[in-house]
Amino acid sequence: MADGKKTYYIDVGRGEISQSATASSWNFKVDANDEEITMLREEFDQNYSTDWQNFFRAHVPYVQYHYDRENDAQDQSLLRIYEMIHKLGDQEAKTHIESMGILPGNK
């Protein structure tokens, strides 16, 4: 691509980003430059770290879900991931994410 963008295949559940459509299963196809894909990778890394914090917090029974900052942080991280995929994704990705009703102003 002339603008330095490459095609990547994203699996949100596993936090995987691949340039091969056949290497593993994927949910979304995006076109991104190196900086954009690095930002997406960093967001996946942050989400993974927050997931571990949630695991440890889950063993503290007196903290209720709606008072749990780690859960809120993971929710926000996932929202940022979906926003980035929506921005960079093909029409199928955009349509699917819009149908989820999770983006601000899209509910």
Side-chain angles (χ1 to χ4, degrees), residues 50-95:
T50 304
D51 191 37
W52 272 106
Q53 292 171 9
N54 280 329
F55 171 77
F56 292 117
R57 202 279 328 138
H59 294 86
V60 181
Y62 58 86
V63 178
Q64 297 178 10
Y65 175 83
H66 56 282
Y67 294 119
D68 190 351
R69 289 180 305 210
E70 288 83 8
N71 277 328
D72 293 341
Q74 188 158 29
D75 291 347
Q76 289 302 310
S77 178
L78 279 172
L79 181 58
R80 287 189 301 270
I81 288 169
Y82 280 111
E83 286 174 334
M84 291 179 73
I85 293 171
H86 183 266
K87 176 184 169 193
L88 302 171
D90 62 2
Q91 190 55 48
E92 187 177 346
K94 291 178 190 310
T95 301

